[in-house]
Amino acid sequence: MVVLCLLCICYVCAAAPDPIDIHKRKLFLWFSHLPQEEKQFGGYFSPETMHVDPLILERNPEERLGLLSPCLQTQNSSFPSVTVEQLFEPTDAWSEDRGINVLLYGAVGTGKSTVIRKLVLDWCTGTTLANFKLLVPFSCEDLNQLSKMASLRDLVSRKYLHLKKHPLLSGEGSQAKDVLFLFNGMEKIQLDFRIGSTELCSDPNEALLPGVVVVNLLRKYLLPEASILVTTRLSALDRIPQKYISRYAQICGFTDPDRQRAYFTSRLLQQSGKTAHNQEAQALIELLYLSLQRESQLAAACFLPSYCWLTCATLHFLHFTSINAPIRTLTGIYTSFLRLNFGGEVLGTGAGTNVPIQGHHSSLMLYVVRTVGKLAFDGVTYKRTSFSERELEQWIGGKTKTDEELRQLAMFRTDVLDFFLAPCVGNDKYLSQDLSENDERRYVFAVPAMQEYLAALYMVLGENKSALEKLTRQVSMAIGQATEDVNALMNILSKFIPLRIFAIFNLLKLFPKLFEKISSRNKGSIARTMAAEMFRTEDSYNEDVLDQVEQSLLGVHGPQPKQYSEGQPFELYPIFMGGLLHYGNRVLLQQLGCSIQSSTVAQITLALRKYLVRELSKPQPPEELMDLLVLLYEFQNPRLTAEVLASIRAIRLTNIRMTPIKCFVLSTVLSCTPPSYHLEELDLSSCLLTHDMLQMLWPAFRHTHNLNLQFNSLGPESCILLRDLLLDSKILIRSLQLCDNPLLDSGAHTLLESLPKNQSLTHLSLMHTGLGDKGALELAERLQQHTGLQELNVAYNNIGDNAALTLVDACREHPSIHTVHLYLNPLSDVGKKSLYVRGVLRGHGGSGRHVKVLASVTEGSDISEDWHPILSVIRENASSWDHKRIKQQLKVFLTDLEWGRQQQQSFWKRLHFRKVEKGVKQTLQMLEKDTPSKRYHK
């Protein structure tokens, strides 16, 4: 029996899982969890695939306070780069009975948290720090929240129950040499190393305050054999005395373009596996790398991995937006970026103070808005992007008075200021003209759009109010609260108080209502500012705002875009203001300590609708319309969007370079309108549309009558979608223009399959689509199956005489077609005369109809009534057409005109022929001057 019990005990012991294995498995799961912000990339990332090691340099204790910018500090550094694992390798000064204390520090955004996450994951998989059997990570922010006393073992078991009573933490012998403690974010916990304030303790089972436990671990009184890794910001370096730190190391971010390129590659190439996407991503990476090599402002910003993340998130938004992915906005990306870097951060008082950190709940992000945001707002107001050191001192350091404010300012300048502002690199064409005489260094926002975002946040939060307005609000709140408290008492005493005195109390009760009216006027001014900034006349013909964002990241390759405004355009500023009012962004800002009330949003929205409708009553260029669509998309308010679009009957986006995100914006915005809403015209000509973009635009097509898709890159495969579009009974497209798309006969065949069941189409343009005789003959056969068509344009194709005659005969038999365009086709003189005769004469028994056939500038021996529209079409499209073929056709026109002129007896008719000949010759001269080399430089 005893033997059986022993065997059972041995079996249970052998079968019990190792607590270290459990610990590794759970740590791996916890640290593999990605923040919500990472999911916007489509879920294709993991910490293993997207990590790029930042530069880490070991520092001498004497140099640890060299607080220069890491990108400048490391250029001439004599220290070699190290890994975290190398920092725990034994040195000559190392003794076996004392562990190593390493302090890893860096500025905001250099990648401290990412390095720690990757370190823990690698330890769990056994690829690093293999000499430590146990790694115990702690968040100093979590420890700082604990108010009850607890022993070291209690702290460990509280977070890692499976490590409760583990022998490595018992303090017996030298077992603790196999343990590594990790304390992340040491600036968030109050540590006091004075002997009189913090008692000494060597017992891991003794209950102490969490800060005291950490201090004793660092002092090596508690588990002296254990090693410790502490991470912190620059301002907190002095919180641990130098004698308790074995080695200092600084995270310097990505200081060279190769690291930055590796980061961009790991992010942008992790797409869904589509070859086309990866090819586009590779092209983006090459453009980014060129920009980084030029030592641009982007390269100066991207030494911080955080800005590399922002760059990748923005490019992913611009180029890889998918209809299947969650809706993302540019404002949301910037808000998420700030939440990643400043979520839960408060502005403490710094070293040398005994006030607990919990006692100061001043939001760090709100401090950023009131200082850096104020600077950004001033720059946007006066169209400036660079600032002198004197201006930084004025706006950020300006009016500090108390010692606490000075300490907060010192911490802010050390930890945060360089995150937003960087020294200006190179010559900025928008630099202020009033540079100082001593050529002092100037600073710009690390990313240009960040200036507009912070200025918008400063405006929306109402921080631009005057001191009187802020005082009025405080007085109003105080009086309002007081009147609520005494209201019941006044109701009782009103019977005994004289009426005159009672009137004074009533006035006090009315004061908050008066303030509400003043406040609503202030919200109206915000809406008015948004509308005014959206439709500034000097910015009307700039690139659309999304193209400006892309150019700020990738630079401009090739001819510079036309810039009509003299200063820096701040067209993202009003768009960010609208985006910040979206509920999702307000929730994130609330977590950052920046509150935007729902009542504020309602007041701004009400006023904004009025101003937008007023501006849209005026004609707007395509770029401004695109910016308006982006504003409505960023706002994410379906009701406002529907009310604004109700005043628009045509959206003309001619020559806008459409991208996936722009197509998604257009479709999303139009989807907010009711089913009864229809545009008279949606013009997407010369927009570089592709088949994939057409699929994204399907919801937009549901709301249009006249669809213009001319001059794009739509091939035969796109006709499948267009066919389905025409077959949809809920879509009532009347006019479809497909000029200059390589549809070919195969595409036309697919498109014509929709004619039997479609009854809404009245105008169809297939000019210059590669249509041949086969396509024309099939079109002639299909026409009788569609009774609503009125005008057919098949000009500038490869249609010969026989196919053209057959098509015209079919049109004459059609009940409603009145015009057929056939010019610029290879038609003979006999064929053109026959077409004219067929169009004019009625059919057998009078059943045929008169059809206007436009085959040339002449009709028989007379001039065509439509000669001018024909020449206008040629002039408008000549730059993209085959010059040789067009010249040949124009010479044929001249021959026809000369023959017709010779047939005329009337002087006035011959004079009219001369006028038309002159127009043809001018068009011919224009083509001869417009050589390929000149067209390239346009």
Side-chain angles (χ1 to χ4, degrees):
M1 187 68 179
V2 175
V3 174
L4 181 60
C5 291
L6 291 174
L7 288 174
C8 291
I9 293 173
C10 293
Y11 174 78
V12 170
C13 292
D18 184 3
I20 300 294
D21 292 337
I22 298 175
H23 184 61
K24 288 183 177 181
R25 187 167 63 252
K26 291 191 174 184
L27 274 186
F28 189 86
L29 290 175
W30 291 334
F31 281 81
S32 295
H33 175 73
L34 295 177
Q36 184 68 30
E37 287 77 7
E38 296 290 1
K39 296 181 181 178
Q40 64 184 309
F41 291 99
Y44 306 123
F45 300 110
S46 65
E48 294 80 10
T49 59
M50 67 185 182
H51 181 78
V52 177
D53 289 319
L55 179 67
I56 301 177
L57 297 178
E58 184 173 7
R59 297 295 192 187
N60 288 331
E62 295 76 17
E63 291 188 343
R64 71 189 190 281
L65 294 179
L67 299 181
L68 297 175
S69 177
C71 61
L72 303 174
Q73 192 177 26
T74 58
Q75 288 178 351
N76 301 316
S77 175
S78 59
F79 295 95
S81 66
V82 296
T83 64
V84 176
E85 186 175 23
Q86 290 172 337
L87 293 172
F88 288 96
E89 293 177 352
T91 61
D92 295 337
W94 178 77
S95 60
E96 196 168 333
D97 58 340
R98 292 178 67 86
I100 299 175
N101 289 353
V102 174
L103 181 59
L104 184 65
Y105 65 94
V108 176
T110 49
K112 297 184 297 296
S113 298
T114 305
V115 167
I116 294 303
R117 182 192 301 121
K118 186 66 167 55
L119 180 73
V120 173
L121 292 175
D122 287 347
W123 177 81
C124 292
T125 57
T127 56
T128 191
L129 297 174
N131 53 317
F132 293 107
K133 295 180 181 179
L134 180 60
L135 174 63
V136 185
F138 281 107
S139 165
C140 290
E141 185 177 9
D142 291 344
L143 292 176
N144 196 57
Q145 300 299 320
L146 300 177
S147 57
K148 295 182 179 180
M149 293 193 297
S151 66
L152 173 62
R153 302 194 73 171
D154 288 339
L155 289 176
V156 172
S157 61
R158 184 180 190 139
K159 190 169 185 180
Y160 310 106
L161 183 61
H162 46 273
L163 296 180
K164 188 175 184 179
K165 299 182 179 179
H166 197 282
L168 290 178
L169 302 173
S170 64
E172 299 175 0
S174 60
Q175 295 185 87
K177 65 180 175 54
D178 296 325
V179 178
L180 173 62
F181 289 101
L182 196 162
F183 295 102
N184 189 30
M186 186 267 294
E187 71 277 358
K188 298 177 183 178
I189 188 172
Q190 193 71 24
L191 301 180
D192 192 343
F193 284 84
R194 294 174 298 177
I195 298 294
S197 301
T198 306
E199 60 182 298
L200 300 179
C201 175
S202 60
D203 184 2
N205 297 303
E206 183 177 347
L208 301 168
L209 289 174
V212 177
V213 173
V214 176
V215 167
N216 279 284
L217 282 171
L218 290 168
R219 282 173 171 168
K220 296 302 179 187
Y221 274 88
L222 184 60
L223 300 186
E225 302 85 5
S227 295
I228 301 174
L229 174 62
V230 178
T231 68
T232 189
R233 292 184 180 171
L234 297 171
S235 62
L237 279 176
D238 275 346
R239 293 196 185 177
I240 303 179
Q242 179 183 334
K243 62 182 178 180
Y244 298 130
I245 300 299
S246 311
R247 304 175 82 166
Y248 289 91
Q250 182 179 11
I251 297 183
C252 301
F254 299 150
T255 56
D256 59 272
D258 290 333
R259 289 179 189 266
Q260 295 166 355
R261 180 175 185 171
Y263 184 93
F264 295 140
T265 301
S266 69
R267 290 273 176 168
L268 295 177
L269 280 181
Q270 295 288 333
Q271 298 303 323
S272 59
K274 293 183 179 180
T275 304
H277 278 191
N278 279 342
Q279 289 176 349
E280 184 177 359
Q282 191 63 55
L284 288 177
I285 293 169
E286 293 302 324
L287 291 175
L288 273 173
Y289 190 59
L290 288 175
S291 181
L292 296 172
Q293 286 182 315
R294 289 198 302 264
E295 296 184 355
S296 62
Q297 198 64 52
L298 177 66
C302 283
F303 90 87
L304 290 176
S306 289
Y307 278 104
C308 291
W309 181 93
L310 180 60
T311 300
C312 288
T314 305
L315 289 175
H316 194 277
F317 168 76
L318 293 175
H319 288 270
F320 303 115
T321 294
S322 169
I323 56 176
N324 299 320
I327 289 181
R328 294 174 297 145
T329 64
L330 193 62
T331 313
I333 288 174
Y334 275 76
T335 307
S336 298
F337 170 73
L338 294 177
R339 181 179 175 273
L340 277 174
N341 289 279
F342 298 101
E345 296 284 351
V346 295
L347 194 64
T349 55
T353 177
N354 296 325
V355 182
I357 292 179
Q358 296 97 320
H360 299 271
H361 288 291
S362 175
S363 164
L364 178 56
M365 192 63 229
L366 189 58
Y367 192 90
V368 169
V369 173
R370 290 172 176 171
T371 53
V372 183
K374 189 175 183 180
L375 176 73
F377 178 76
D378 180 75
V380 169
T381 303
Y382 297 102
K383 309 305 174 190
R384 297 188 304 121
T385 59
S386 66
F387 309 90
S388 65
E389 293 181 344
R390 183 176 63 255
E391 289 169 328
L392 295 187
E393 177 67 28
Q394 172 189 351
W395 290 110
I396 296 176
K399 300 178 181 179
T400 53
K401 298 177 181 180
T402 66
D403 289 343
E404 180 180 341
E405 289 177 337
L406 289 173
R407 284 193 294 266
Q408 289 181 342
L409 178 62
M411 291 182 62
F412 180 77
R413 284 179 168 173
T414 301
D415 290 339
V416 182
L417 187 58
D418 288 342
F419 181 82
F420 291 102
L421 296 167
C424 185
V425 175
N427 296 320
D428 188 342
K429 64 178 179 179
Y430 298 119
L431 280 178
S432 301
Q433 300 298 321
D434 54 345
L435 291 174
S436 56
E437 296 181 359
N438 57 356
D439 195 24
E440 63 180 325
R441 174 178 290 180
R442 300 191 70 82
Y443 293 85
V444 297
F445 281 83
V447 173
M450 184 59 73
Q451 178 178 356
E452 298 178 72
Y453 178 90
L454 291 176
L457 185 55
Y458 180 81
M459 183 75 173
V460 171
L461 287 176
E463 293 296 330
N464 63 319
K465 294 178 184 176
S466 65
L468 179 60
E469 288 176 317
K470 293 180 178 179
L471 179 62
T472 303
R473 175 178 177 166
Q474 294 173 359
V475 172
S476 170
M477 292 176 64
I479 294 177
Q481 184 63 40
T483 53
E484 289 178 5
D485 293 339
V486 302
N487 190 46
L489 181 62
M490 291 303 303
N491 288 334
I492 298 173
L493 297 180
S494 59
K495 297 180 180 180
F496 309 102
I497 298 178
L499 292 177
R500 293 181 181 179
I501 300 177
F502 188 65
I504 296 176
F505 285 95
N506 285 334
L507 286 175
L508 291 177
K509 292 169 66 176
L510 288 174
F511 188 84
K513 297 181 180 180
L514 177 63
F515 171 75
E516 287 179 6
K517 294 183 178 180
I518 298 173
S519 177
S520 64
R521 291 178 61 87
N522 182 58
K523 305 303 185 299
S525 70
I526 294 177
R528 186 168 56 251
T529 299
M530 291 173 65
E533 291 293 332
M534 272 296 300
F535 299 103
R536 292 175 70 238
T537 304
E538 56 268 37
D539 293 337
S540 294
Y541 295 94
N542 291 340
E543 298 285 324
D544 68 81
V545 69
L546 294 179
D547 278 355
Q548 291 181 34
V549 172
E550 181 174 327
Q551 290 167 9
S552 71
L553 297 177
L554 301 179
V556 179
H557 301 271
Q560 292 286 330
K562 290 184 179 180
Q563 193 75 34
Y564 294 87
S565 55
E566 295 181 359
Q568 163 75 30
F570 291 102
E571 297 183 64
L572 264 178
Y573 170 54
I575 291 174
F576 277 143
M577 290 174 68
L580 288 169
L581 301 179
H582 172 47
Y583 177 75
N585 289 320
R586 287 191 286 126
V587 169
L588 294 180
L589 288 171
Q590 182 70 41
Q591 297 173 11
L592 291 169
C594 301
S595 178
I596 302 175
Q597 301 298 326
S598 298
S599 57
T600 301
V601 177
Q603 291 173 355
I604 295 175
T605 302
L606 183 64
L608 180 63
R609 183 191 64 81
K610 178 180 66 174
Y611 289 118
L612 289 181
V613 171
R614 181 187 302 171
E615 291 292 338
L616 288 173
S617 63
K618 312 169 189 174
Q620 299 293 339
E623 293 80 7
E624 289 294 288
L625 271 179
M626 189 69 242
D627 290 349
L628 170 68
L629 295 173
V630 174
L631 170 65
L632 295 175
Y633 173 78
E634 293 283 325
F635 212 121
Q636 292 289 304
N637 187 323
R639 181 177 178 180
L640 171 70
T641 300
E643 291 175 348
V644 172
L645 291 182
S647 62
I648 300 177
R649 288 303 170 190
I651 294 180
R652 299 181 179 92
L653 300 177
T654 308
N655 294 318
I656 293 293
R657 184 182 66 91
M658 293 301 283
T659 59
I661 181 58
K662 294 178 189 177
C663 294
F664 188 73
V665 165
L666 177 58
S667 290
T668 303
V669 168
L670 285 176
S671 296
C672 295
T673 58
S676 59
Y677 173 82
H678 282 90
L679 291 168
E680 285 301 318
E681 181 184 7
L682 177 59
D683 188 349
L684 296 173
S685 58
S686 302
C687 290
L688 302 178
L689 291 176
T690 62
H691 176 67
D692 291 338
M693 293 182 192
L694 272 192
Q695 293 179 317
M696 300 183 74
L697 287 168
W698 182 280
F701 295 156
R702 300 176 67 92
H703 295 275
T704 185
H705 288 316
N706 301 321
L707 180 58
N708 188 342
L709 297 176
Q710 297 182 122
F711 311 107
N712 285 293
S713 303
L714 307 178
E717 70 280 358
S718 299
C719 290
I720 300 174
L721 188 142
L722 294 173
R723 176 200 62 194
D724 297 340
L725 187 70
L726 294 175
L727 288 174
D728 193 330
S729 60
K730 296 180 180 179
I731 300 178
L732 302 176
I733 291 180
R734 299 170 186 165
S735 173
L736 179 60
Q737 300 182 57
L738 296 171
C739 169
D740 267 80
N741 287 289
L743 306 181
L744 306 178
D745 283 339
S746 59
H749 171 77
T750 303
L751 184 65
L752 295 177
E753 291 176 356
S754 64
L755 291 185
K757 295 185 179 180
N758 177 276
Q759 299 302 322
S760 64
L761 194 63
T762 59
H763 293 75
L764 177 62
S765 173
L766 297 175
M767 182 172 64
H768 197 210
T769 55
L771 201 67
D773 288 344
K774 181 180 177 182
L777 292 173
E778 183 175 356
L779 178 58
E781 293 177 8
R782 297 273 191 179
L783 282 179
Q784 300 306 321
Q785 300 172 346
H786 188 283
T787 59
L789 204 60
Q790 299 175 10
E791 185 173 355
L792 179 64
N793 189 341
V794 288
Y796 194 18
N797 281 297
N798 297 311
I799 302 174
D801 290 350
N802 294 332
L805 290 168
T806 304
L807 182 59
V808 170
D809 287 341
C811 291
R812 289 175 57 243
E813 298 298 328
H814 194 275
S816 57
I817 292 180
H818 57 71
T819 305
V820 181
H821 300 254
L822 281 165
Y823 47 87
L824 300 182
N825 277 295
L827 303 174
S828 66
D829 292 338
V830 176
K832 284 186 280 188
K833 292 176 183 178
S834 299
L835 288 172
Y836 170 68
V837 174
R838 295 281 184 93
V840 172
L841 297 179
R842 290 187 175 275
H844 205 47
S847 61
R849 300 175 56 257
H850 171 68
V851 176
K852 184 184 293 186
V853 180
L854 307 181
S856 177
V857 292
T858 60
E859 293 179 351
S861 59
D862 293 327
I863 292 177
S864 170
E865 295 178 358
D866 299 285
W867 69 268
H868 190 272
I870 292 174
L871 290 183
S872 297
V873 169
I874 294 174
R875 291 192 189 104
E876 290 173 2
N877 305 314
S879 60
S880 61
W881 284 354
D882 181 3
H883 279 205
K884 183 178 180 181
R885 180 174 172 180
I886 298 301
K887 289 178 184 178
Q888 183 181 358
Q889 289 293 326
L890 289 174
K891 291 175 181 178
V892 172
F893 286 172
L894 289 174
T895 303
D896 294 342
L897 288 167
E898 185 178 357
W899 179 84
R901 177 167 46 83
Q902 293 172 355
Q903 309 303 312
Q904 304 301 322
Q905 300 298 323
S906 168
F907 171 76
W908 298 109
K909 283 191 175 183
R910 290 200 301 270
L911 190 62
H912 192 194
F913 270 88
R914 292 284 187 186
K915 178 183 177 181
V916 179
E917 285 182 50
K918 182 179 179 181
V920 175
K921 289 179 180 178
Q922 288 176 345
T923 305
L924 194 58
Q925 291 174 356
M926 181 191 74
L927 289 175
E928 290 174 346
K929 291 180 180 179
D930 189 20
T931 60
S933 60
K934 289 182 180 179
R935 279 185 278 133
Y936 178 78
H937 291 292
K938 278 186 178 181

